[in-house]
Amino acid sequence: MKIRIIIPLLLFGLFIQCKNQIIEKTKIEQILAINNYDYRGSEKFELYSDNTYIFTSIKKIIGPEKVEKFKGIYFLKNDTIYFDQSLHAYNKSKKAVIKNNFIEFVGGIFPLKIEIKKNRLQTKNKLDLRKYNDYAFFTFDSNFYAIYYNYEPNTIKPYDLNQKELIEVNQILKKCFSENNSKLKNLSKYVKQCTAIINDKKEKEVWIKCYCKDFYIENEYKYSLIDMSDGGNCNISLKINLTKHSYSDLSTGGLG
C-alpha cells in the first residue's frame, strides 16, 4: 500500500520538476540594461521572453543599501515597451522606447534612461556611436528641461538625429573648437551631451553641453543631463543649427 502511494508522489514530483525546468528554459533574457552610479548605487532592467520584466534600484546612502525591486508584465510593439501598473511606484512610466542602445522611459515623474548591455531583440539603432563614444543623446522633454535651456513654452519639439546629421554635428563642433581654441581645450577632452529639437522657426537644432572628462562625469554623463553653474572651460555650451549649418550661443562656465 505504501509503495502504491509513494510511486505516484515520486512521479508527481518529477513532473513538477520537469515543468519548472521547461519554464526556466523558455524564459530567456531578451534585454539587460544597467546604469552603474559608482558609490551611489545602480539601476537594472531585465526584459524576458515570457513578457515579464524586473526593475531593480539600489541606492547607496548613509546606512544600509536601499534595494527596490519591481516585477510586472510588458507588451512589446516594434521598439516600444508598454508596462502594466507595477512600475508606477518607481517613476510612473507607462512605456519605454529602445533607442540608440538605451531604454528610455517615457512619461515618468523624472527622466530615466538605462544603458543596454545585452539585447536579443531585432531592434536597430538610428545612430552608430562607435566613432562617437563620448557623445550622449537625450530626448527633449518640456517637463524637465527648463532648468537647462531658455526657451518659450510650447515652441519647440523633440527630434531624432540620423547618422548623416550626427556626422555634421561633429564636424561643426570641431570647427567651433578650432575657431575658439584660445579659450577651449581640445574637443577630445570633453564629453558631449546633445539634445536635438525643432525650434520655433521649424529649424533643426542641437543643444550641446560639453564637460571635461573626469572619473565621475565619464561614467555617468550618458545617463542624465549634468547641471553645472561654473567650471570655466570645463563647462561649455552652444547650439548647432543643422538647417543653417552653423553654430551659435557659445558660452563657457555658464557665461556668454
Side-chain angles (χ1 to χ4, degrees):
M1 185 68 179
K2 290 183 178 179
I3 295 175
R4 290 180 180 178
I5 295 173
I6 291 171
I7 290 175
L9 287 174
L10 288 173
L11 291 173
F12 180 73
L14 288 171
F15 170 76
I16 295 297
Q17 185 178 0
C18 291
K19 185 178 179 181
N20 289 337
Q21 288 176 351
I22 291 171
I23 291 172
E24 288 297 321
K25 287 180 180 179
T26 56
K27 184 175 180 176
I28 300 171
E29 186 180 69
Q30 300 287 65
I31 287 181
L32 172 64
I34 300 174
N35 283 357
N36 283 314
Y37 299 100
D38 297 316
Y39 63 91
R40 294 191 291 114
S42 64
E43 291 164 327
K44 181 168 70 172
F45 180 73
E46 301 161 277
L47 200 73
Y48 292 96
S49 58
D50 63 350
N51 291 101
T52 63
Y53 68 84
I54 302 173
F55 184 95
T56 306
S57 169
I58 300 176
K59 294 181 180 179
K60 298 178 181 179
I61 52 178
I62 297 174
E65 289 183 349
K66 181 181 179 182
V67 180
E68 294 181 287
K69 187 167 287 191
F70 305 89
K71 298 180 180 181
I73 306 296
Y74 74 89
F75 167 69
L76 180 66
K77 184 177 181 181
N78 298 323
D79 60 356
T80 304
I81 307 166
Y82 297 89
F83 302 112
D84 64 1
Q85 298 294 314
S86 58
L87 197 59
H88 284 200
Y90 189 69
N91 82 329
K92 300 188 183 300
S93 293
K94 295 181 180 179
K95 63 180 180 179
V97 178
I98 303 169
K99 183 191 294 186
N100 298 324
N101 209 44
F102 276 84
I103 304 289
E104 291 193 11
F105 292 79
V106 179
I109 56 176
F110 56 85
L112 178 62
K113 56 183 295 197
I114 304 181
E115 187 174 12
I116 295 173
K117 302 297 185 180
K118 296 179 183 178
N119 187 357
R120 291 178 177 268
L121 301 177
Q122 299 299 315
T123 54
K124 295 182 179 180
N125 294 323
K126 287 187 176 181
L127 299 178
D128 182 352
L129 298 175
R130 285 175 293 182
K131 294 182 180 180
Y132 308 94
N133 56 14
D134 53 6
Y135 278 78
F137 292 87
F138 298 86
T139 303
F140 173 77
D141 189 329
S142 59
N143 293 317
F144 307 115
Y145 284 18
I147 64 171
Y148 300 103
Y149 305 103
N150 294 319
Y151 61 89
E152 292 294 327
N154 303 315
T155 59
I156 56 180
K157 297 179 180 179
Y159 178 71
D160 288 330
L161 297 177
N162 59 41
Q163 191 69 21
K164 183 179 178 181
E165 290 166 336
L166 169 59
I167 293 170
E168 183 177 359
V169 165
N170 189 59
Q171 290 172 341
I172 295 174
L173 199 54
K174 285 181 177 179
K175 179 183 178 182
C176 170
F177 273 67
S178 175
E179 292 177 348
N180 297 275
N181 60 10
S182 62
K183 58 180 179 180
L184 304 179
K185 298 183 179 184
N186 187 284
L187 181 60
S188 64
K189 301 295 184 181
Y190 296 87
V191 296
K192 300 89 174 170
Q193 295 190 315
C194 306
T195 305
I197 57 106
I198 301 294
N199 66 20
D200 56 352
K201 298 177 182 178
K202 311 302 180 185
E203 299 167 336
K204 296 176 185 177
E205 210 170 62
V206 185
W207 299 341
I208 302 179
K209 289 183 175 291
C210 303
Y211 300 97
C212 289
K213 294 177 179 178
D214 65 28
F215 175 77
Y216 298 106
I217 286 178
E218 201 164 1
N219 282 333
E220 299 185 15
Y221 78 97
K222 294 179 287 184
Y223 306 152
S224 59
L225 286 172
I226 298 167
D227 184 19
M228 186 185 295
S229 58
D230 198 349
N233 65 358
C234 277
N235 177 9
I236 311 300
S237 64
L238 70 150
K239 293 179 180 178
I240 288 179
N241 190 307
L242 290 172
T243 304
K244 296 179 178 179
H245 311 287
S246 62
Y247 69 87
S248 64
D249 299 336
L250 175 66
S251 68
T252 61
L255 302 174

